Amino acid sequence: MTDVTVDILTRRPRKDLRAQGVHTAATANVTPSTSLAIFAVGINEYTHVESLHNCVADASAFAQKMKDEGLVEEISLFTDYSDTTLERLDFHLEDFIKKVTISQPRGIVMFYACHGMQYQGQLYIVPSDANCGHAKLIKRQCVELQDILKDLQQPELQNLPKIVILDVCRNSPFLGVGWRITAHSLQEVHLPVNCKLVFSSTAGEYAEDGRG
């Protein structure tokens, strides 16, 4: 476990994250001359669970804010349904990691606004096409946070400051489709060197999603 800071933002409304909290976290220790690489995902539309309302706007606003302040070297923003399936999210993340390994920006910021869930002590990002009719399908249908962090552990990225912002719920959006889960404490998260992790909710909670 590396000596890093893990910031937990509990019960913060989504609108506050968009206007204040996320911006503050992303720009900590960053000057206007710093060039960042941004990877942002916003998912409103889902096939098998309830759709959301403001995630696309949140991710887009976050990326635009970074761009307006001159903080961005490159932006990878994915909000369309077809771009946020499990297959495409895996592809986009792999492609992003390859690019920043070569370009070596001053820092990396990753932002996810979408459904999330915590199961057996692990946190998962829920892609737009996830269909977890049984708990055993979670690992196959969703993106595990620890796998995202592993991708940031590339030796070439160790010296880069990294922030991962999860504006997601940590309850299950699949409740009521044939199985139920109970909240477990999040197991120790193994962060890459020079990485901070920010949540918008605690175990079993919703991240507030506005209605427009």
Side-chain angles (χ1 to χ4, degrees):
M1 186 71 177
T2 58
D3 183 18
V4 296
T5 301
V6 181
D7 295 317
I8 307 299
L9 305 182
T10 59
R11 300 181 179 86
R12 182 185 296 276
R14 187 179 295 277
K15 63 180 181 180
D16 289 340
L17 276 172
R18 183 168 65 247
Q20 298 177 358
V22 166
H23 171 60
T24 300
T27 57
N29 301 319
V30 173
T31 64
S33 62
T34 301
S35 295
L36 303 176
I38 307 295
F39 182 91
V41 173
I43 308 176
N44 283 350
E45 183 182 355
Y46 284 86
T47 303
H48 303 286
V49 297
E50 181 182 2
S51 291
L52 298 170
H53 299 274
N54 281 339
C55 290
V56 168
D58 286 351
S60 300
F62 174 79
Q64 188 62 47
K65 184 68 172 178
M66 297 296 99
K67 182 177 180 180
D68 290 345
E69 297 200 6
L71 297 173
V72 178
E73 178 173 294
E74 60 180 282
I75 297 177
S76 297
L77 174 64
F78 306 102
T79 58
D80 291 339
Y81 175 89
S82 59
D83 259 339
T84 55
T85 62
L86 176 62
E87 181 179 5
R88 296 302 293 171
L89 285 180
D90 284 344
F91 171 81
H92 292 317
L93 180 58
E94 181 179 356
D95 185 59
F96 176 78
I97 295 299
K98 288 180 180 178
K99 287 180 179 178
V100 295
T101 299
I102 295 173
S103 65
Q104 290 291 297
R106 294 292 183 88
I108 296 171
V109 182
M110 305 186 73
F111 179 90
Y112 287 87
C114 56
H115 274 307
M117 62 185 297
Q118 189 169 310
Y119 177 66
Q120 293 186 341
Q122 300 297 326
L123 189 65
Y124 295 86
I125 300 298
V126 181
S128 58
D129 62 340
N131 184 15
C132 298
H134 191 282
K136 292 181 179 179
L137 295 176
I138 294 174
K139 287 184 176 291
R140 296 186 214 167
Q141 295 280 323
C142 300
V143 181
E144 188 172 343
L145 169 62
Q146 200 63 63
D147 289 339
I148 296 173
L149 297 176
K150 285 179 182 177
D151 285 334
L152 294 174
Q153 290 178 342
Q154 306 288 341
E156 298 87 349
L157 304 181
Q158 285 188 1
N159 293 328
L160 301 183
K162 297 170 282 287
I163 299 175
V164 179
I165 303 167
L166 300 178
D167 190 6
V168 304
C169 300
R170 289 166 68 181
N171 67 313
S172 172
F174 298 101
L175 291 178
V177 294
W179 56 277
R180 61 188 297 270
I181 63 173
T182 55
H184 293 258
S185 297
L186 188 64
Q187 294 179 3
E188 182 180 33
V189 177
H190 297 280
L191 292 172
V193 175
N194 295 325
C195 184
K196 293 185 179 182
L197 181 59
V198 180
F199 294 103
S200 65
S201 62
T202 57
E205 285 192 337
Y206 290 93
E208 182 176 311
D209 181 47
R211 295 284 167 175

